[in-house]
Amino acid sequence: MKKRIFSGAQPTGNLHIGNYLGALKNWVALQNEYESFFCIVNLHAVTVAQEPKVLRQKTLDLARIYLASGIDPQISTVYVQSDVSEHSELAWILNCVARIGELERMTQFKDKSRVRGENVSAGLLVYPTLMASDILLYKTDLVPVGHDQKQHLEITRDLATRFNRDYGETFKIPDAFISPTGAKILSLADAAKKMSKSDENLNGSIFLLDDADIIQKKIKRAVTDSGTNIKFDESRPAINNLLTIYQLLTGKTAEECEANFAGKGYGNLKSELAETVVEFLRPFQERVKQIDDGELEKILKTGAEKARSIARETLKTVYERMGIVGAR
Ligand code: AQP
């Protein structure tokens, strides 16, 4: 029996090259080795207000992006989170297992609630319990995510362990898969921040659907530093970041990348990187356009049916263990 992976992305804003390099690229690489579940987590998206029409559209657009990235629906299960109501049902149970204090300590909650002040939904606080449900329903072995989700994986493990202790062995304890390179792609405009969909400064992110002209402008404007040589060096995050994107898209080794830019200036790095990104995204964007609506609907329906059959079994065990029985 193959081991299982689960992962997902939110249909909020536009996916950027950080989402691709930190998550989707690894999903594609792992899908042959693992039984894979890739979810469009639209219920996570509504932890902050979304325009209904836009959310509906972005949900389908994100499914197209999964497929264009190389997720193969013949071997992987691709579905929308709200189509499998067991995610919400288990989230309620885990809300009752989680402690308010541990949820309040989550960095993502602290960061996002600081920006929103009074206007913070209870959903944002319990975001990690919904994420834990996503993962635990499938008895997931491995969760490929970017570095920003590491803490949410840890709380998932804690909740599963606590439930198992209190109600008997039920959940598999999942491991995070965080790639050593690309798990935290930084903003091109501010190397102190990660590249982010919700960043108001659009120059910080290369979106997967940006056109060639915009990509070139954004990379040309990217912040650098006062040094001159082009080497991987974590103490020079801006250059390190540009080189990392270049390395991951070309598949070259770190030594090959450094040799390629030996004796060259930042201008060369930027123009070669821009060309690399444009050449990578051109066929990707073509594939996005070619995905047929009817075909997509079928893939998501089949995916939801498969996911539901597994999720239902896990939830049944959870209810039995807890003594939750109804009249039907
Ligand atoms: N900058 C990043 N570098 C590497 N990986 C990243 N991920 C996000 N940002 C980076 C990974 O992408 C996957 C899907 O992310 P998500 O849709 O759950 O959104 P997020 O983690 O909340 O990050 P975003 O894209 O920046 O969105 P906002 O701005 O809305 O918070 C995850 O595996 C994530 O780790």
Side-chain angles (χ1 to χ4, degrees), residues 55-265:
L55 180 61
R56 201 169 296 129
Q57 187 58 46
K58 293 274 177 204
T59 302
L60 297 175
D61 289 350
L62 185 52
R64 287 191 180 88
I65 284 178
Y66 283 9
L67 301 179
S69 297
I71 301 294
D72 178 354
Q74 300 296 329
I75 53 173
S76 296
T77 304
V78 179
Y79 68 102
V80 178
Q81 189 182 29
S82 59
D83 283 343
V84 181
S85 60
E86 284 76 4
H87 288 246
S88 307
E89 288 186 63
L90 182 58
W92 172 253
I93 299 296
L94 295 180
N95 283 340
C96 301
V97 173
R99 308 286 180 259
I100 289 180
E102 66 189 338
L103 294 170
E104 282 174 339
R105 281 195 294 278
M106 292 292 111
T107 312
Q108 194 179 77
F109 174 72
K110 286 198 277 190
D111 289 348
K112 293 202 170 178
S113 56
R114 199 176 300 128
V115 176
R116 290 189 171 79
E118 291 287 292
N119 210 2
V120 177
S121 72
L124 199 59
L125 179 68
V126 295
Y127 181 111
T129 60
L130 181 57
M131 180 163 157
S133 306
D134 300 341
I135 296 165
L136 298 176
L137 276 174
Y138 301 97
K139 305 200 186 305
T140 302
D141 295 281
L142 206 64
V143 187
V145 281
H147 191 267
D148 63 326
Q149 295 298 331
K150 186 167 179 266
Q151 205 184 23
H152 289 163
L153 240 295
E154 281 158 11
I155 195 172
T156 298
R157 291 168 57 90
D158 290 346
L159 294 174
T161 306
R162 193 176 304 154
F163 187 97
N164 288 351
R165 184 200 64 201
D166 293 347
Y167 297 103
E169 210 55 31
T170 306
F171 295 124
K172 183 170 262 180
I173 311 298
D175 286 313
F177 175 89
I178 298 180
S179 172
T181 327
K184 190 174 180 185
I185 298 294
L186 305 176
S187 159
L188 298 188
D190 178 358
K193 296 200 299 198
K194 75 162 191 129
M195 193 177 281
S196 180
K197 292 192 215 110
S198 56
D199 191 342
E200 281 173 9
N201 185 350
L202 298 181
N203 289 326
S205 307
I206 300 169
F207 298 109
L208 296 177
L209 301 180
D210 274 349
D211 66 32
D213 201 34
I214 303 253
I215 293 169
Q216 266 145 1
K217 280 193 188 127
K218 286 181 178 175
I219 295 179
K220 207 167 169 192
R221 279 197 205 132
V223 291
T224 51
D225 58 36
S226 56
T228 49
N229 58 353
I230 299 170
K231 289 204 168 298
F232 285 96
D233 178 356
E234 304 232 333
S235 68
R236 295 165 62 209
I239 290 299
N240 203 66
N241 190 45
L242 297 180
L243 262 182
T244 301
I245 299 173
Y246 178 82
Q247 182 189 4
L248 288 168
L249 291 181
T250 57
K252 290 182 177 162
T253 64
E255 293 72 29
E256 286 167 342
C257 294
E258 290 181 349
N260 186 58
F261 293 111
K264 296 184 186 167

